[in-house]
Amino acid sequence: MTAASKAAARAAVVCGAGAALPPHIIMNAELTARLDTTDEWIRSRTGITQRHVAGVDLSTTDLAARAAAQALADGQPVTVEAVVVATTTPDRCCPATAPAVATRLGLTGVPAYDLAAGCTGFLYALATAAGLIATDTARTVLVIGADRLATLPDPEDRTSVPLFGDGAGAVVLRRGSTDEAGALGPVVLGSDGTGADLIQASLPGTLHMDGADVFRHAVDRMSTASRQAATAAGWDVTDIDRLIPHQANSRITSFVARQLGVPDDHQLGNVGDVGNTGAASIPLLLARSAADGRLGPGHRTLLTAFGAGLTWGATTLTWPDLSLTRLPEGAGHDR
Ligand code: UT7
């Protein structure tokens, strides 16, 4: 086997997807009762109508383990050899979330670690999982994005409270070939610490965001990263059948789609039903869309995200046939 064919046989291939949302839903109307805001403002400026919020009895570890269990149950049968959890809201600073999730799933002993890259965390986690596979550290990796962002803002802050929700999403990656459906393309990642103050949260404490500035950066960075990821994969942006952008605000994702020239019906979203779920956003949307058929086998799919750091990223894959049968718990869909 040549070095090139060896590398081609160590691609990371998606073979399962799952999601979990807390059962408790907070509608906009509930927020308007205690904040100086309106349902109309929240809907028209963000696209959000409701968000799922975890109570004290549902931790980030719980959500991550539920999403992962569904990804494993609904995908092709595999033996997981590593677990990566992307989160900015771990239950504790130390230890990391991933070892606890691995143990819950009966995977005690496998390498397991967290990483934090804001709302881009899931794409960073995909890249590191692909690295674990390429280096033969693991043949199968569970990649989870899980966050509990709903309670991070100051409860009086009308500019942030309506935006965030809680949830988790997961995919299973296995070793495979670059030419098969599900193989991840090159992952484009970036960061800019000069924008660190634009979205920040201290522990314990509250989240602060300069919304308008973040909005502009988000559109710009996701559009550029998407073009770069498409080019790196050998695609033209007109090849994109499904655009899966991080769900922060439907106006942001519409701008990104417009800048890329991706038609509206090729862009998937669920921010209306779940709000901004941080690192969970992309895998939650992937699992939901795959389950309801909006994302189907053969769709050339581009994932892109932007978040605190600042961080951003994008990657491509042709969606595989996962034969998903169940819908993620309570997950909704905008279009
Ligand atoms: O996951 C990645 C990180 N997060 C994001 O990507 C979020 C990015 N930013 C956004 O989504 C938007 O900037 C927001 C939704 C946060 C804000 O929307 P905007 O259209 O950029 O509004 P703005 O910040 O420019 O504020 C416009 C006005 C302000 O009032 P004045 O100064 O014009 O009198 C705000 O005080 O809207 C006011 N406002 C509200 N009014 C009613 C802000 N939040 C609210 C609210 N209800 N909830």
Side-chain angles (χ1 to χ4, degrees):
M1 198 185 239
T2 65
S5 58
K6 231 180 195 174
R10 286 199 192 145
V13 178
V14 171
C15 63
L21 287 164
H24 181 58
I25 292 174
I26 295 186
M27 305 294 295
N28 288 348
E30 206 174 313
L31 298 181
T32 61
R34 61 181 171 89
L35 288 171
D36 179 17
T37 189
T38 61
D39 176 49
E40 201 282 328
W41 193 97
I42 301 170
R43 279 175 198 261
S44 63
R45 307 294 277 207
T46 71
I48 298 167
T49 58
Q50 62 173 47
R51 68 287 296 143
H52 291 248
V53 177
V56 286
D57 57 336
L58 202 53
S59 65
T60 297
T61 305
D62 295 330
L63 289 167
R66 286 185 194 185
Q70 192 188 60
L72 290 167
D74 281 351
Q76 299 149 7
V78 291
T79 304
V80 173
E81 294 185 348
V83 177
V84 185
V85 176
T87 183
T88 41
T89 52
D91 299 320
R92 294 177 285 187
C93 292
C94 179
T97 315
V101 172
T103 289
R104 292 252 193 116
L105 297 169
L107 299 169
T108 301
V110 305
Y113 59 95
D114 290 6
L115 66 81
C119 298
T120 318
F122 179 72
L123 294 184
Y124 272 74
L126 284 183
T128 70
L132 295 176
I133 288 170
T135 55
D136 244 350
T137 307
R139 285 165 298 184
T140 309
V141 186
L142 191 50
V143 180
I144 306 164
D147 265 318
R148 290 174 85 252
L149 296 175
T151 45
L152 270 195
D154 175 346
E156 308 288 315
D157 180 4
R158 67 172 183 173
T159 65
S160 292
V161 168
L163 307 181
F164 297 101
D166 302 333
V171 300
V172 186
L173 294 176
R174 64 164 171 80
R175 186 166 71 181
S177 307
T178 48
D179 57 0
E180 63 179 305
L184 287 185
V187 187
V188 170
L189 298 173
S191 78
D192 177 4
T194 65
D197 291 345
L198 295 181
I199 320 172
Q200 47 148 324
S202 42
L203 279 177
T206 53
L207 179 142
H208 295 282
M209 183 169 65
D210 182 340
D213 231 10
V214 170
F215 192 111
R216 281 189 289 278
H217 280 291
V219 172
D220 185 39
R221 294 300 190 182
M222 285 198 282
S223 303
T224 304
S226 296
R227 278 195 206 93
Q228 289 168 339
T231 303
W235 294 4
D236 187 88
V237 283
T238 56
D239 291 333
I240 298 167
D241 298 314
R242 294 291 179 268
L243 176 64
I244 308 263
H246 167 56
Q247 299 292 295
N249 182 323
S250 59
R251 285 164 55 226
I252 294 178
T253 52
S254 292
F255 273 117
V256 172
R258 216 171 301 155
Q259 290 213 359
L260 293 173
V262 171
D264 269 356
D265 61 348
H266 287 199
Q267 185 206 151
L268 302 182
N270 63 351
V271 73
D273 293 322
V274 301
N276 182 346
T277 56
S281 171
I282 287 181
L284 199 55
L285 181 54
L286 280 176
R288 178 63 176 89
S289 308
D292 71 14
R294 287 165 204 252
L295 176 61
H299 280 144
R300 284 161 301 183
T301 305
L302 191 138
L303 318 178
T304 186
F306 175 84
L310 304 170
T311 56
W312 56 87
T315 193
T316 53
L317 76 159
T318 298
W319 193 252
D321 185 357
L322 299 180
S323 303
L324 290 175
T325 50
R326 278 188 290 139
L327 294 180
E329 291 171 40
H333 209 294
D334 291 353
R335 39 186 176 262

CSV table of all heavy atoms in Angstrom, one decimal, residues 120-141:
chain,number,residue,atom,x,y,z
A,120,THR,N,-18.0,27.1,17.8
A,120,THR,CA,-17.3,26.3,16.7
A,120,THR,C,-16.7,25.0,17.2
A,120,THR,O,-16.1,24.2,16.5
A,120,THR,CB,-16.1,27.2,16.2
A,120,THR,OG1,-16.5,28.6,16.0
A,120,THR,CG2,-15.6,26.7,14.8
A,121,GLY,N,-16.9,24.7,18.5
A,121,GLY,CA,-16.3,23.6,19.2
A,121,GLY,C,-16.6,22.3,18.4
A,121,GLY,O,-15.6,21.4,18.3
A,122,PHE,N,-17.8,22.1,17.9
A,122,PHE,CA,-18.0,20.8,17.2
A,122,PHE,C,-17.1,20.6,16.0
A,122,PHE,O,-16.6,19.5,15.8
A,122,PHE,CB,-19.5,20.7,16.8
A,122,PHE,CG,-19.8,19.4,16.1
A,122,PHE,CD1,-19.9,18.2,16.8
A,122,PHE,CD2,-20.1,19.4,14.8
A,122,PHE,CE1,-20.2,17.0,16.2
A,122,PHE,CE2,-20.4,18.2,14.1
A,122,PHE,CZ,-20.4,17.0,14.8
A,123,LEU,N,-16.9,21.7,15.2
A,123,LEU,CA,-16.0,21.5,14.1
A,123,LEU,C,-14.5,21.3,14.5
A,123,LEU,O,-13.8,20.5,13.9
A,123,LEU,CB,-16.1,22.8,13.2
A,123,LEU,CG,-17.5,22.9,12.5
A,123,LEU,CD1,-17.4,24.1,11.5
A,123,LEU,CD2,-17.9,21.7,11.7
A,124,TYR,N,-14.1,22.0,15.6
A,124,TYR,CA,-12.8,21.7,16.1
A,124,TYR,C,-12.7,20.2,16.5
A,124,TYR,O,-11.7,19.5,16.3
A,124,TYR,CB,-12.5,22.6,17.3
A,124,TYR,CG,-11.8,23.9,16.9
A,124,TYR,CD1,-12.6,24.9,16.3
A,124,TYR,CD2,-10.5,24.2,17.1
A,124,TYR,CE1,-12.0,26.2,16.0
A,124,TYR,CE2,-9.9,25.4,16.8
A,124,TYR,CZ,-10.7,26.4,16.2
A,124,TYR,OH,-10.1,27.6,15.9
A,125,ALA,N,-13.8,19.7,17.1
A,125,ALA,CA,-13.8,18.3,17.6
A,125,ALA,C,-13.7,17.3,16.5
A,125,ALA,O,-13.0,16.3,16.5
A,125,ALA,CB,-15.0,18.1,18.5
A,126,LEU,N,-14.4,17.7,15.4
A,126,LEU,CA,-14.4,16.8,14.2
A,126,LEU,C,-12.9,16.7,13.7
A,126,LEU,O,-12.5,15.6,13.3
A,126,LEU,CB,-15.3,17.4,13.1
A,126,LEU,CG,-16.8,17.2,13.1
A,126,LEU,CD1,-17.4,17.7,11.9
A,126,LEU,CD2,-17.2,15.7,13.3
A,127,ALA,N,-12.3,17.9,13.6
A,127,ALA,CA,-10.9,17.9,13.1
A,127,ALA,C,-10.0,17.1,14.0
A,127,ALA,O,-9.1,16.3,13.5
A,127,ALA,CB,-10.4,19.3,13.0
A,128,THR,N,-10.1,17.2,15.3
A,128,THR,CA,-9.2,16.4,16.2
A,128,THR,C,-9.6,14.9,16.1
A,128,THR,O,-8.7,14.0,16.2
A,128,THR,CB,-9.2,16.8,17.7
A,128,THR,OG1,-10.5,16.5,18.2
A,128,THR,CG2,-9.0,18.3,17.8
A,129,ALA,N,-10.8,14.6,15.9
A,129,ALA,CA,-11.2,13.2,15.8
A,129,ALA,C,-10.7,12.6,14.5
A,129,ALA,O,-10.2,11.4,14.5
A,129,ALA,CB,-12.7,13.1,15.8
A,130,ALA,N,-10.7,13.4,13.4
A,130,ALA,CA,-10.1,12.9,12.2
A,130,ALA,C,-8.6,12.7,12.4
A,130,ALA,O,-8.0,11.7,11.8
A,130,ALA,CB,-10.3,14.0,11.1
A,131,GLY,N,-8.0,13.5,13.2
A,131,GLY,CA,-6.5,13.3,13.5
A,131,GLY,C,-6.3,12.0,14.3
A,131,GLY,O,-5.4,11.3,14.0
A,132,LEU,N,-7.2,11.7,15.2
A,132,LEU,CA,-7.0,10.5,16.0
A,132,LEU,C,-7.1,9.3,15.0
A,132,LEU,O,-6.4,8.3,15.2
A,132,LEU,CB,-8.1,10.4,17.0
A,132,LEU,CG,-8.1,11.4,18.2
A,132,LEU,CD1,-9.3,11.2,19.1
A,132,LEU,CD2,-6.8,11.3,19.0
A,133,ILE,N,-8.0,9.4,14.0
A,133,ILE,CA,-8.2,8.3,13.1
A,133,ILE,C,-7.0,8.2,12.1
A,133,ILE,O,-6.5,7.1,11.9
A,133,ILE,CB,-9.5,8.5,12.3
A,133,ILE,CG1,-10.7,8.2,13.3
A,133,ILE,CG2,-9.6,7.6,11.1
A,133,ILE,CD1,-12.1,8.5,12.8
A,134,ALA,N,-6.5,9.4,11.7
A,134,ALA,CA,-5.4,9.4,10.7
A,134,ALA,C,-4.1,8.8,11.3
A,134,ALA,O,-3.3,8.2,10.6
A,134,ALA,CB,-5.2,10.8,10.2
A,135,THR,N,-4.0,9.1,12.6
A,135,THR,CA,-2.7,8.6,13.3
A,135,THR,C,-2.9,7.2,13.9
A,135,THR,O,-2.0,6.7,14.6
A,135,THR,CB,-2.3,9.5,14.4
A,135,THR,OG1,-3.5,9.7,15.3
A,135,THR,CG2,-1.9,10.9,13.9
A,136,ASP,N,-4.0,6.6,13.6
A,136,ASP,CA,-4.3,5.2,14.1
A,136,ASP,C,-4.4,5.1,15.6
A,136,ASP,O,-4.2,4.1,16.2
A,136,ASP,CB,-3.2,4.2,13.6
A,136,ASP,CG,-3.8,3.2,12.7
A,136,ASP,OD1,-5.1,3.1,12.6
A,136,ASP,OD2,-3.1,2.4,12.1
A,137,THR,N,-4.7,6.3,16.2
A,137,THR,CA,-4.9,6.3,17.7
A,137,THR,C,-6.2,5.6,18.0
A,137,THR,O,-6.4,5.0,19.0
A,137,THR,CB,-4.9,7.7,18.2
A,137,THR,OG1,-3.7,8.4,17.8
A,137,THR,CG2,-5.0,7.8,19.7
A,138,ALA,N,-7.2,5.8,17.1
A,138,ALA,CA,-8.5,5.2,17.3
A,138,ALA,C,-9.1,4.9,15.9
A,138,ALA,O,-8.9,5.7,15.0
A,138,ALA,CB,-9.4,6.1,18.1
A,139,ARG,N,-9.8,3.8,15.8
A,139,ARG,CA,-10.5,3.6,14.5
A,139,ARG,C,-11.9,4.1,14.5
A,139,ARG,O,-12.5,4.4,13.4
A,139,ARG,CB,-10.5,2.0,14.3
A,139,ARG,CG,-9.2,1.5,13.9
A,139,ARG,CD,-9.2,0.0,14.0
A,139,ARG,NE,-9.4,-0.4,15.4
A,139,ARG,CZ,-9.4,-1.7,15.8
A,139,ARG,NH1,-9.2,-2.7,15.0
A,139,ARG,NH2,-9.6,-1.9,17.1
A,140,THR,N,-12.5,4.4,15.7
A,140,THR,CA,-13.8,4.9,15.7
A,140,THR,C,-13.9,5.9,16.9
A,140,THR,O,-13.5,5.6,18.0
A,140,THR,CB,-14.8,3.8,16.0
A,140,THR,OG1,-14.6,2.7,15.1
A,140,THR,CG2,-16.3,4.2,15.9
A,141,VAL,N,-14.4,7.1,16.6
A,141,VAL,CA,-14.5,8.2,17.5
A,141,VAL,C,-15.9,8.7,17.7
A,141,VAL,O,-16.6,9.0,16.6
A,141,VAL,CB,-13.5,9.3,17.2
A,141,VAL,CG1,-13.5,10.4,18.3
A,141,VAL,CG2,-12.1,8.8,16.8
